[in-house]
Amino acid sequence: AQSVSQHNHHVILSEAASLELGCNYSYGGTVNLFWYVQYPGQHLQLLLKYFSGDPLVKGIKGFEAEFIKSKFSFNLRKPSVQWSDTAEYFCAVTPNRDDKIIFGKGTRLHILP
Amino acid sequence: DARVTQTPRHKVTEMGQEVTMRCQPILGHNTVFWYRQTMMQGLELLAYFRNRAPLDDSGMPKDRFSAEMPDATLATLKIQPSEPRDSAVYFCASGLPPGQGINMGDTQYFGPGTRLTVL
């Protein structure tokens, strides 16, 4: 079955630390990849997405993600986090011709001021 | 600024009561999704529609849940009778099918959610 794995369930960092959140998927065909963010008490918002082209995708708020096809991975990175990045981050995958998005379980990120 | 709207934002009800949640997708979007989010299970897809027709509702308990799209601007999710284990945040999302819109496999846009508490 198709699945999305986020390795870290809970990450705690200090401000200015670098961030990398792991995401792996099991689908073998062509995929579209997303990272969504959910700030406390809010709905999910798109952070960035990859459909094709440059595997290094830049999103909002200084986030980026790199698609490594050989590793079935789409890790999220930010060089220097801020307290306002405290949120839950969801990796998601959809096959190119499928409507459904398969979400990972999410990673709760807590930034210490 | 187009966005998905959901009503009510909060609902507290007693076990056994009927609950109806409503969603207005972004104008022009023809796929609509219902998700449930809990601490234990995370984000679960309950059902989704394309052009108002249900394509997949396998994630939904059929005995008590029902989802419909009476028209292109309204999606509803009903629970009858409600149970305490239904307490969760229910999100609606809308989008365009792969191949339409600016990009292939277009983004889903989420509403603010309905926080349901069943006592």
Side-chain angles (χ1 to χ4, degrees):
Chain A
Q2 302 162 17
S3 68
V4 179
S5 299
Q6 292 184 241
H7 316 298
N8 311 104
H9 298 294
H10 201 174
V11 173
I12 301 174
L13 294 173
S14 297
E15 273 194 309
S18 65
L19 169 72
E20 181 160 3
L21 301 182
C23 173
N24 286 91
Y25 59 93
S26 64
Y27 186 72
T30 304
V31 294
N32 299 322
L33 300 152
F34 306 80
W35 276 97
Y36 281 84
V37 61
Q38 187 177 26
Y39 296 103
Q42 296 189 26
H43 60 287
L44 275 77
Q45 304 170 47
L46 183 69
L47 202 54
L48 50 79
K49 59 185 178 183
Y50 170 82
F51 289 158
S52 63
D54 189 344
L56 185 61
V57 180
K58 295 197 182 297
I60 60 172
K61 303 186 181 185
F63 286 90
E64 64 179 30
E66 184 174 13
F67 170 48
I68 303 180
K69 190 173 182 179
S70 61
K71 294 185 178 180
F72 298 88
S73 71
F74 190 55
N75 292 356
L76 181 70
R77 300 194 293 247
K78 185 170 183 178
S80 177
V81 293
Q82 301 171 305
W83 178 78
S84 59
D85 294 324
T86 295
E88 189 160 13
Y89 293 81
F90 294 89
C91 180
V93 174
T94 183
N96 225 2
R97 298 290 172 183
D98 198 336
D99 295 307
K100 291 194 292 188
I101 286 183
I102 303 165
F103 282 90
K105 292 289 188 185
T107 297
R108 288 182 180 271
L109 176 64
H110 187 73
I111 306 299
L112 302 173
Chain B
D1 183 22
R3 58 184 67 189
V4 176
T5 58
Q6 289 185 249
T7 56
R9 295 292 308 277
H10 302 272
K11 176 73 175 180
V12 179
T13 191
E14 292 185 342
M15 183 173 64
Q17 297 298 306
E18 178 179 299
V19 175
T20 299
M21 291 169 272
R22 294 177 174 80
C23 167
Q24 183 172 8
I26 292 173
L27 190 64
H29 284 184
N30 59 358
T31 57
V32 175
F33 303 79
W34 282 105
Y35 292 91
R36 176 171 62 186
Q37 186 179 37
T38 61
M39 288 289 291
M40 294 300 294
Q41 300 297 328
L43 202 61
E44 302 173 277
L45 177 66
L46 297 176
Y48 81 99
F49 294 76
R50 184 192 297 170
N51 296 324
R52 298 174 54 201
L55 289 192
D56 187 346
D57 60 2
S58 58
M60 210 165 61
K62 304 288 192 307
D63 56 336
R64 298 184 300 109
F65 284 61
S66 62
E68 295 179 346
M69 281 199 74
D71 61 59
T73 64
L74 177 64
T76 62
L77 180 66
K78 290 186 181 180
I79 308 174
Q80 170 62 24
S82 58
E83 297 180 1
R85 59 180 168 151
D86 301 330
S87 298
V89 181
Y90 291 82
F91 289 103
C92 174
S94 72
L96 293 168
Q100 295 187 20
I102 298 172
N103 294 307
M104 302 287 284
D106 210 13
T107 306
Q108 291 185 16
Y109 295 85
F110 282 77
T114 295
R115 183 174 294 276
L116 174 65
T117 302
V118 183
L119 303 175

mmCIF file of all heavy atoms in Angstrom, chain B residues 30-73:
data_model
loop_
_atom_site.group_PDB
_atom_site.id
_atom_site.type_symbol
_atom_site.label_atom_id
_atom_site.label_comp_id
_atom_site.label_asym_id
_atom_site.label_seq_id
_atom_site.Cartn_x
_atom_site.Cartn_y
_atom_site.Cartn_z
ATOM 1 N N ASN B 30 -13.529 21.497 -8.524
ATOM 2 C CA ASN B 30 -14.533 20.448 -8.669
ATOM 3 C C ASN B 30 -14.181 19.162 -7.926
ATOM 4 O O ASN B 30 -14.849 18.146 -8.098
ATOM 5 C CB ASN B 30 -14.806 20.151 -10.152
ATOM 6 C CG ASN B 30 -13.556 19.714 -10.887
ATOM 7 O OD1 ASN B 30 -12.472 19.668 -10.308
ATOM 8 N ND2 ASN B 30 -13.696 19.392 -12.154
ATOM 9 N N THR B 31 -13.128 19.189 -7.120
ATOM 10 C CA THR B 31 -12.905 18.071 -6.213
ATOM 11 C C THR B 31 -12.980 18.583 -4.782
ATOM 12 O O THR B 31 -12.460 19.652 -4.471
ATOM 13 C CB THR B 31 -11.553 17.380 -6.436
ATOM 14 O OG1 THR B 31 -10.502 18.337 -6.296
ATOM 15 C CG2 THR B 31 -11.472 16.740 -7.800
ATOM 16 N N VAL B 32 -13.676 17.834 -3.956
ATOM 17 C CA VAL B 32 -13.875 18.217 -2.562
ATOM 18 C C VAL B 32 -13.545 17.016 -1.681
ATOM 19 O O VAL B 32 -13.956 15.894 -1.978
ATOM 20 C CB VAL B 32 -15.327 18.670 -2.312
ATOM 21 C CG1 VAL B 32 -15.552 18.944 -0.816
ATOM 22 C CG2 VAL B 32 -15.649 19.913 -3.128
ATOM 23 N N PHE B 33 -12.819 17.281 -0.610
ATOM 24 C CA PHE B 33 -12.354 16.232 0.284
ATOM 25 C C PHE B 33 -12.833 16.523 1.706
ATOM 26 O O PHE B 33 -12.857 17.674 2.136
ATOM 27 C CB PHE B 33 -10.822 16.177 0.301
ATOM 28 C CG PHE B 33 -10.192 15.963 -1.046
ATOM 29 C CD1 PHE B 33 -10.062 17.015 -1.935
ATOM 30 C CD2 PHE B 33 -9.727 14.716 -1.410
ATOM 31 C CE1 PHE B 33 -9.474 16.827 -3.182
ATOM 32 C CE2 PHE B 33 -9.129 14.522 -2.649
ATOM 33 C CZ PHE B 33 -9.006 15.577 -3.528
ATOM 34 N N TRP B 34 -13.158 15.473 2.431
ATOM 35 C CA TRP B 34 -13.427 15.578 3.861
ATOM 36 C C TRP B 34 -12.367 14.782 4.623
ATOM 37 O O TRP B 34 -12.129 13.605 4.320
ATOM 38 C CB TRP B 34 -14.809 15.024 4.217
ATOM 39 C CG TRP B 34 -15.950 15.931 3.909
ATOM 40 C CD1 TRP B 34 -16.849 15.827 2.890
ATOM 41 C CD2 TRP B 34 -16.350 17.089 4.651
ATOM 42 N NE1 TRP B 34 -17.764 16.846 2.942
ATOM 43 C CE2 TRP B 34 -17.486 17.633 4.014
ATOM 44 C CE3 TRP B 34 -15.860 17.731 5.800
ATOM 45 C CZ2 TRP B 34 -18.140 18.780 4.485
ATOM 46 C CZ3 TRP B 34 -16.508 18.863 6.253
ATOM 47 C CH2 TRP B 34 -17.643 19.376 5.599
ATOM 48 N N TYR B 35 -11.746 15.443 5.605
ATOM 49 C CA TYR B 35 -10.738 14.809 6.451
ATOM 50 C C TYR B 35 -11.172 14.928 7.906
ATOM 51 O O TYR B 35 -11.873 15.853 8.296
ATOM 52 C CB TYR B 35 -9.382 15.508 6.328
ATOM 53 C CG TYR B 35 -8.697 15.363 4.991
ATOM 54 C CD1 TYR B 35 -8.914 16.305 3.990
ATOM 55 C CD2 TYR B 35 -7.828 14.318 4.735
ATOM 56 C CE1 TYR B 35 -8.271 16.195 2.768
ATOM 57 C CE2 TYR B 35 -7.174 14.204 3.517
ATOM 58 C CZ TYR B 35 -7.405 15.143 2.544
ATOM 59 O OH TYR B 35 -6.763 15.033 1.330
ATOM 60 N N ARG B 36 -10.664 14.016 8.705
ATOM 61 C CA ARG B 36 -10.845 14.082 10.158
ATOM 62 C C ARG B 36 -9.458 14.054 10.780
ATOM 63 O O ARG B 36 -8.606 13.237 10.391
ATOM 64 C CB ARG B 36 -11.672 12.889 10.648
ATOM 65 C CG ARG B 36 -11.833 12.817 12.146
ATOM 66 C CD ARG B 36 -12.825 11.750 12.549
ATOM 67 N NE ARG B 36 -12.438 10.412 12.155
ATOM 68 C CZ ARG B 36 -13.209 9.346 12.303
ATOM 69 N NH1 ARG B 36 -14.424 9.480 12.824
ATOM 70 N NH2 ARG B 36 -12.796 8.165 11.927
ATOM 71 N N GLN B 37 -9.250 14.932 11.752
ATOM 72 C CA GLN B 37 -7.956 14.989 12.415
ATOM 73 C C GLN B 37 -8.134 14.772 13.908
ATOM 74 O O GLN B 37 -8.888 15.488 14.575
ATOM 75 C CB GLN B 37 -7.255 16.328 12.153
ATOM 76 C CG GLN B 37 -5.840 16.382 12.704
ATOM 77 C CD GLN B 37 -5.158 17.696 12.409
ATOM 78 O OE1 GLN B 37 -5.769 18.762 12.437
ATOM 79 N NE2 GLN B 37 -3.866 17.638 12.105
ATOM 80 N N THR B 38 -7.420 13.806 14.456
ATOM 81 C CA THR B 38 -7.381 13.561 15.891
ATOM 82 C C THR B 38 -5.933 13.398 16.305
ATOM 83 O O THR B 38 -5.056 13.136 15.470
ATOM 84 C CB THR B 38 -8.152 12.285 16.280
ATOM 85 O OG1 THR B 38 -7.531 11.165 15.611
ATOM 86 C CG2 THR B 38 -9.610 12.362 15.867
ATOM 87 N N MET B 39 -5.707 13.527 17.599
ATOM 88 C CA MET B 39 -4.342 13.361 18.104
ATOM 89 C C MET B 39 -3.855 11.943 17.855
ATOM 90 O O MET B 39 -2.696 11.732 17.504
ATOM 91 C CB MET B 39 -4.315 13.668 19.608
ATOM 92 C CG MET B 39 -4.463 15.127 19.942
ATOM 93 S SD MET B 39 -3.011 16.073 19.489
ATOM 94 C CE MET B 39 -1.841 15.455 20.679
ATOM 95 N N MET B 40 -4.751 10.984 18.038
ATOM 96 C CA MET B 40 -4.328 9.580 17.959
ATOM 97 C C MET B 40 -4.117 9.122 16.520
ATOM 98 O O MET B 40 -3.154 8.420 16.220
ATOM 99 C CB MET B 40 -5.372 8.687 18.648
ATOM 100 C CG MET B 40 -5.495 8.909 20.138
ATOM 101 S SD MET B 40 -3.941 8.595 21.001
ATOM 102 C CE MET B 40 -3.783 6.837 20.736
ATOM 103 N N GLN B 41 -5.020 9.497 15.634
ATOM 104 C CA GLN B 41 -4.998 8.960 14.268
ATOM 105 C C GLN B 41 -4.372 9.908 13.255
ATOM 106 O O GLN B 41 -4.113 9.497 12.115
ATOM 107 C CB GLN B 41 -6.425 8.610 13.824
ATOM 108 C CG GLN B 41 -7.108 7.569 14.688
ATOM 109 C CD GLN B 41 -6.403 6.232 14.654
ATOM 110 O OE1 GLN B 41 -5.817 5.859 13.636
ATOM 111 N NE2 GLN B 41 -6.426 5.522 15.768
ATOM 112 N N GLY B 42 -4.162 11.139 13.649
ATOM 113 C CA GLY B 42 -3.641 12.096 12.679
ATOM 114 C C GLY B 42 -4.718 12.503 11.696
ATOM 115 O O GLY B 42 -5.899 12.569 12.036
ATOM 116 N N LEU B 43 -4.316 12.724 10.451
ATOM 117 C CA LEU B 43 -5.223 13.205 9.414
ATOM 118 C C LEU B 43 -5.737 12.010 8.603
ATOM 119 O O LEU B 43 -4.964 11.285 8.005
ATOM 120 C CB LEU B 43 -4.469 14.172 8.512
ATOM 121 C CG LEU B 43 -5.256 15.176 7.700
ATOM 122 C CD1 LEU B 43 -6.053 16.094 8.601
ATOM 123 C CD2 LEU B 43 -4.293 15.997 6.853
ATOM 124 N N GLU B 44 -7.043 11.824 8.608
ATOM 125 C CA GLU B 44 -7.642 10.689 7.896
ATOM 126 C C GLU B 44 -8.575 11.214 6.807
ATOM 127 O O GLU B 44 -9.407 12.082 7.071
ATOM 128 C CB GLU B 44 -8.489 9.850 8.847
ATOM 129 C CG GLU B 44 -7.778 9.276 10.056
ATOM 130 C CD GLU B 44 -8.781 8.620 10.978
ATOM 131 O OE1 GLU B 44 -9.421 9.338 11.787
ATOM 132 O OE2 GLU B 44 -8.960 7.394 10.890
ATOM 133 N N LEU B 45 -8.469 10.646 5.621
ATOM 134 C CA LEU B 45 -9.400 10.983 4.549
ATOM 135 C C LEU B 45 -10.693 10.202 4.753
ATOM 136 O O LEU B 45 -10.671 8.974 4.848
ATOM 137 C CB LEU B 45 -8.797 10.640 3.188
ATOM 138 C CG LEU B 45 -9.703 10.876 1.977
ATOM 139 C CD1 LEU B 45 -9.990 12.365 1.795
ATOM 140 C CD2 LEU B 45 -9.054 10.309 0.710
ATOM 141 N N LEU B 46 -11.801 10.916 4.825
ATOM 142 C CA LEU B 46 -13.093 10.270 5.004
ATOM 143 C C LEU B 46 -13.772 9.995 3.658
ATOM 144 O O LEU B 46 -14.293 8.914 3.417
ATOM 145 C CB LEU B 46 -14.012 11.140 5.859
ATOM 146 C CG LEU B 46 -13.563 11.397 7.295
ATOM 147 C CD1 LEU B 46 -14.523 12.365 7.980
ATOM 148 C CD2 LEU B 46 -13.478 10.099 8.081
ATOM 149 N N ALA B 47 -13.793 11.009 2.805
ATOM 150 C CA ALA B 47 -14.492 10.879 1.522
ATOM 151 C C ALA B 47 -14.030 11.970 0.586
ATOM 152 O O ALA B 47 -13.511 12.994 1.030
ATOM 153 C CB ALA B 47 -16.005 11.004 1.738
ATOM 154 N N TYR B 48 -14.210 11.731 -0.723
ATOM 155 C CA TYR B 48 -13.991 12.830 -1.637
ATOM 156 C C TYR B 48 -14.889 12.717 -2.855
ATOM 157 O O TYR B 48 -15.366 11.637 -3.209
ATOM 158 C CB TYR B 48 -12.521 13.012 -2.002
ATOM 159 C CG TYR B 48 -11.946 12.115 -3.059
ATOM 160 C CD1 TYR B 48 -11.806 12.571 -4.378
ATOM 161 C CD2 TYR B 48 -11.471 10.857 -2.738
ATOM 162 C CE1 TYR B 48 -11.221 11.776 -5.334
ATOM 163 C CE2 TYR B 48 -10.889 10.048 -3.706
ATOM 164 C CZ TYR B 48 -10.761 10.518 -4.994
ATOM 165 O OH TYR B 48 -10.184 9.727 -5.951
ATOM 166 N N PHE B 49 -15.124 13.862 -3.457
ATOM 167 C CA PHE B 49 -16.054 14.020 -4.565
ATOM 168 C C PHE B 49 -15.333 14.669 -5.741
ATOM 169 O O PHE B 49 -14.430 15.471 -5.561
ATOM 170 C CB PHE B 49 -17.219 14.955 -4.173
ATOM 171 C CG PHE B 49 -18.109 14.421 -3.104
ATOM 172 C CD1 PHE B 49 -17.708 14.419 -1.782
ATOM 173 C CD2 PHE B 49 -19.364 13.946 -3.417
ATOM 174 C CE1 PHE B 49 -18.542 13.927 -0.787
ATOM 175 C CE2 PHE B 49 -20.212 13.464 -2.427
ATOM 176 C CZ PHE B 49 -19.789 13.455 -1.116
ATOM 177 N N ARG B 50 -15.787 14.311 -6.917
ATOM 178 C CA ARG B 50 -15.394 15.044 -8.113
ATOM 179 C C ARG B 50 -16.661 15.344 -8.883
ATOM 180 O O ARG B 50 -17.469 14.440 -9.133
ATOM 181 C CB ARG B 50 -14.430 14.268 -9.002
ATOM 182 C CG ARG B 50 -13.963 15.103 -10.207
ATOM 183 C CD ARG B 50 -13.248 14.269 -11.219
ATOM 184 N NE ARG B 50 -12.030 13.697 -10.680
ATOM 185 C CZ ARG B 50 -11.317 12.766 -11.312
ATOM 186 N NH1 ARG B 50 -11.736 12.292 -12.465
ATOM 187 N NH2 ARG B 50 -10.215 12.295 -10.782
ATOM 188 N N ASN B 51 -16.812 16.607 -9.270
ATOM 189 C CA ASN B 51 -18.036 17.028 -9.969
ATOM 190 C C ASN B 51 -19.290 16.545 -9.245
ATOM 191 O O ASN B 51 -20.252 16.068 -9.858
ATOM 192 C CB ASN B 51 -18.030 16.517 -11.418
ATOM 193 C CG ASN B 51 -16.904 17.112 -12.231
ATOM 194 O OD1 ASN B 51 -16.547 18.279 -12.049
ATOM 195 N ND2 ASN B 51 -16.318 16.312 -13.114
ATOM 196 N N ARG B 52 -19.249 16.656 -7.931
ATOM 197 C CA ARG B 52 -20.358 16.363 -7.035
ATOM 198 C C ARG B 52 -20.626 14.869 -6.852
ATOM 199 O O ARG B 52 -21.458 14.497 -6.034
ATOM 200 C CB ARG B 52 -21.655 17.053 -7.498
ATOM 201 C CG ARG B 52 -21.572 18.563 -7.505
ATOM 202 C CD ARG B 52 -22.820 19.176 -8.097
ATOM 203 N NE ARG B 52 -24.017 18.688 -7.411
ATOM 204 C CZ ARG B 52 -25.238 18.726 -7.942
ATOM 205 N NH1 ARG B 52 -25.431 19.212 -9.156
ATOM 206 N NH2 ARG B 52 -26.275 18.283 -7.263
ATOM 207 N N ALA B 53 -19.929 14.025 -7.576
ATOM 208 C CA ALA B 53 -20.151 12.586 -7.437
ATOM 209 C C ALA B 53 -19.139 12.008 -6.451
ATOM 210 O O ALA B 53 -17.947 12.321 -6.545
ATOM 211 C CB ALA B 53 -20.019 11.898 -8.792
ATOM 212 N N PRO B 54 -19.595 11.162 -5.540
ATOM 213 C CA PRO B 54 -18.643 10.556 -4.598
ATOM 214 C C PRO B 54 -17.731 9.567 -5.307
ATOM 215 O O PRO B 54 -18.198 8.687 -6.017
ATOM 216 C CB PRO B 54 -19.559 9.860 -3.584
ATOM 217 C CG PRO B 54 -20.839 9.626 -4.315
ATOM 218 C CD PRO B 54 -20.980 10.713 -5.319
ATOM 219 N N LEU B 55 -16.414 9.738 -5.132
ATOM 220 C CA LEU B 55 -15.458 8.829 -5.755
ATOM 221 C C LEU B 55 -14.911 7.811 -4.766
ATOM 222 O O LEU B 55 -14.544 6.708 -5.148
ATOM 223 C CB LEU B 55 -14.296 9.615 -6.373
ATOM 224 C CG LEU B 55 -14.603 10.427 -7.627
ATOM 225 C CD1 LEU B 55 -13.312 10.902 -8.268
ATOM 226 C CD2 LEU B 55 -15.408 9.620 -8.618
ATOM 227 N N ASP B 56 -14.830 8.198 -3.529
ATOM 228 C CA ASP B 56 -14.259 7.295 -2.533
ATOM 229 C C ASP B 56 -14.766 7.721 -1.170
ATOM 230 O O ASP B 56 -14.518 8.845 -0.756
ATOM 231 C CB ASP B 56 -12.724 7.354 -2.581
ATOM 232 C CG ASP B 56 -12.068 6.305 -1.684
ATOM 233 O OD1 ASP B 56 -12.755 5.715 -0.834
ATOM 234 O OD2 ASP B 56 -10.853 6.097 -1.831
ATOM 235 N N ASP B 57 -15.471 6.857 -0.517
ATOM 236 C CA ASP B 57 -15.884 7.143 0.866
ATOM 237 C C ASP B 57 -15.491 5.978 1.765
ATOM 238 O O ASP B 57 -16.129 5.730 2.787
ATOM 239 C CB ASP B 57 -17.375 7.444 0.949
ATOM 240 C CG ASP B 57 -18.242 6.282 0.462
ATOM 241 O OD1 ASP B 57 -17.678 5.233 0.094
ATOM 242 O OD2 ASP B 57 -19.472 6.433 0.450
ATOM 243 N N SER B 58 -14.461 5.274 1.379
ATOM 244 C CA SER B 58 -14.055 4.083 2.121
ATOM 245 C C SER B 58 -13.530 4.406 3.511
ATOM 246 O O SER B 58 -13.492 3.545 4.378
ATOM 247 C CB SER B 58 -12.998 3.305 1.335
ATOM 248 O OG SER B 58 -11.875 4.122 1.078
ATOM 249 N N GLY B 59 -13.148 5.632 3.738
ATOM 250 C CA GLY B 59 -12.631 6.011 5.045
ATOM 251 C C GLY B 59 -13.700 6.405 6.042
ATOM 252 O O GLY B 59 -13.384 6.762 7.179
ATOM 253 N N MET B 60 -14.921 6.328 5.620
ATOM 254 C CA MET B 60 -16.030 6.823 6.420
ATOM 255 C C MET B 60 -16.843 5.680 6.999
ATOM 256 O O MET B 60 -17.200 4.755 6.268
ATOM 257 C CB MET B 60 -16.942 7.653 5.498
ATOM 258 C CG MET B 60 -17.675 8.753 6.129
ATOM 259 S SD MET B 60 -18.344 9.889 4.900
ATOM 260 C CE MET B 60 -19.437 8.828 3.983
ATOM 261 N N PRO B 61 -17.155 5.727 8.319
ATOM 262 C CA PRO B 61 -18.071 4.713 8.883
ATOM 263 C C PRO B 61 -19.456 4.882 8.277
ATOM 264 O O PRO B 61 -20.130 5.874 8.514
ATOM 265 C CB PRO B 61 -18.073 5.051 10.387
ATOM 266 C CG PRO B 61 -16.923 5.952 10.616
ATOM 267 C CD PRO B 61 -16.686 6.685 9.333
ATOM 268 N N LYS B 62 -19.864 3.909 7.483
ATOM 269 C CA LYS B 62 -21.089 4.066 6.688
ATOM 270 C C LYS B 62 -22.354 4.049 7.524
ATOM 271 O O LYS B 62 -23.385 4.594 7.103
ATOM 272 C CB LYS B 62 -21.193 2.954 5.639
ATOM 273 C CG LYS B 62 -20.032 2.834 4.699
ATOM 274 C CD LYS B 62 -19.993 3.964 3.702
ATOM 275 C CE LYS B 62 -19.013 3.689 2.588
ATOM 276 N NZ LYS B 62 -17.672 3.354 3.078
ATOM 277 N N ASP B 63 -22.292 3.430 8.685
ATOM 278 C CA ASP B 63 -23.528 3.282 9.443
ATOM 279 C C ASP B 63 -23.996 4.599 10.041
ATOM 280 O O ASP B 63 -25.185 4.784 10.299
ATOM 281 C CB ASP B 63 -23.353 2.234 10.548
ATOM 282 C CG ASP B 63 -22.197 2.556 11.480
ATOM 283 O OD1 ASP B 63 -21.271 3.291 11.061
ATOM 284 O OD2 ASP B 63 -22.199 2.054 12.628
ATOM 285 N N ARG B 64 -23.071 5.535 10.241
ATOM 286 C CA ARG B 64 -23.482 6.770 10.902
ATOM 287 C C ARG B 64 -23.081 8.027 10.137
ATOM 288 O O ARG B 64 -23.591 9.099 10.406
ATOM 289 C CB ARG B 64 -22.873 6.820 12.307
ATOM 290 C CG ARG B 64 -23.334 5.688 13.213
ATOM 291 C CD ARG B 64 -22.771 5.831 14.623
ATOM 292 N NE ARG B 64 -21.312 5.818 14.630
ATOM 293 C CZ ARG B 64 -20.557 6.862 14.872
ATOM 294 N NH1 ARG B 64 -21.117 8.038 15.119
ATOM 295 N NH2 ARG B 64 -19.242 6.762 14.892
ATOM 296 N N PHE B 65 -22.151 7.910 9.227
ATOM 297 C CA PHE B 65 -21.661 9.069 8.489
ATOM 298 C C PHE B 65 -22.244 9.075 7.077
ATOM 299 O O PHE B 65 -22.395 8.019 6.452
ATOM 300 C CB PHE B 65 -20.132 9.031 8.368
ATOM 301 C CG PHE B 65 -19.384 9.406 9.617
ATOM 302 C CD1 PHE B 65 -19.533 8.683 10.785
ATOM 303 C CD2 PHE B 65 -18.515 10.485 9.610
ATOM 304 C CE1 PHE B 65 -18.840 9.023 11.938
ATOM 305 C CE2 PHE B 65 -17.798 10.842 10.754
ATOM 306 C CZ PHE B 65 -17.957 10.098 11.907
ATOM 307 N N SER B 66 -22.529 10.279 6.597
ATOM 308 C CA SER B 66 -22.917 10.420 5.194
ATOM 309 C C SER B 66 -22.384 11.738 4.666
ATOM 310 O O SER B 66 -22.350 12.741 5.385
ATOM 311 C CB SER B 66 -24.433 10.350 5.028
ATOM 312 O OG SER B 66 -25.067 11.403 5.727
ATOM 313 N N ALA B 67 -21.962 11.728 3.418
ATOM 314 C CA ALA B 67 -21.430 12.931 2.780
ATOM 315 C C ALA B 67 -22.155 13.150 1.467
ATOM 316 O O ALA B 67 -22.399 12.197 0.726
ATOM 317 C CB ALA B 67 -19.928 12.807 2.548
ATOM 318 N N GLU B 68 -22.488 14.397 1.206
ATOM 319 C CA GLU B 68 -23.207 14.732 -0.027
ATOM 320 C C GLU B 68 -22.723 16.062 -0.562
ATOM 321 O O GLU B 68 -22.120 16.866 0.158
ATOM 322 C CB GLU B 68 -24.715 14.843 0.266
ATOM 323 C CG GLU B 68 -25.382 13.560 0.688
ATOM 324 C CD GLU B 68 -26.857 13.757 0.974
ATOM 325 O OE1 GLU B 68 -27.308 14.908 1.098
ATOM 326 O OE2 GLU B 68 -27.561 12.734 1.074
ATOM 327 N N MET B 69 -23.030 16.276 -1.852
ATOM 328 C CA MET B 69 -22.832 17.588 -2.454
ATOM 329 C C MET B 69 -24.128 17.974 -3.152
ATOM 330 O O MET B 69 -24.312 17.641 -4.331
ATOM 331 C CB MET B 69 -21.661 17.582 -3.436
ATOM 332 C CG MET B 69 -20.317 17.659 -2.759
ATOM 333 S SD MET B 69 -19.008 18.205 -3.869
ATOM 334 C CE MET B 69 -19.384 19.952 -4.030
ATOM 335 N N PRO B 70 -25.004 18.652 -2.455
ATOM 336 C CA PRO B 70 -26.285 19.039 -3.062
ATOM 337 C C PRO B 70 -26.107 19.912 -4.305
ATOM 338 O O PRO B 70 -26.904 19.838 -5.236
ATOM 339 C CB PRO B 70 -26.991 19.817 -1.954
ATOM 340 C CG PRO B 70 -26.300 19.430 -0.692
ATOM 341 C CD PRO B 70 -24.891 19.074 -1.060
ATOM 342 N N ASP B 71 -25.077 20.734 -4.295
ATOM 343 C CA ASP B 71 -24.727 21.494 -5.492
ATOM 344 C C ASP B 71 -23.231 21.789 -5.467
ATOM 345 O O ASP B 71 -22.531 21.425 -4.523
ATOM 346 C CB ASP B 71 -25.567 22.782 -5.629
ATOM 347 C CG ASP B 71 -25.375 23.741 -4.475
ATOM 348 O OD1 ASP B 71 -24.224 24.171 -4.246
ATOM 349 O OD2 ASP B 71 -26.373 24.040 -3.786
ATOM 350 N N ALA B 72 -22.756 22.442 -6.502
ATOM 351 C CA ALA B 72 -21.309 22.631 -6.656
ATOM 352 C C ALA B 72 -20.720 23.558 -5.610
ATOM 353 O O ALA B 72 -19.496 23.620 -5.455
ATOM 354 C CB ALA B 72 -21.016 23.160 -8.057
ATOM 355 N N THR B 73 -21.569 24.292 -4.904
ATOM 356 C CA THR B 73 -21.056 25.254 -3.926
ATOM 357 C C THR B 73 -21.239 24.781 -2.496
ATOM 358 O O THR B 73 -20.940 25.516 -1.557
ATOM 359 C CB THR B 73 -21.764 26.609 -4.086
ATOM 360 O OG1 THR B 73 -23.148 26.449 -3.795
ATOM 361 C CG2 THR B 73 -21.579 27.160 -5.488
#
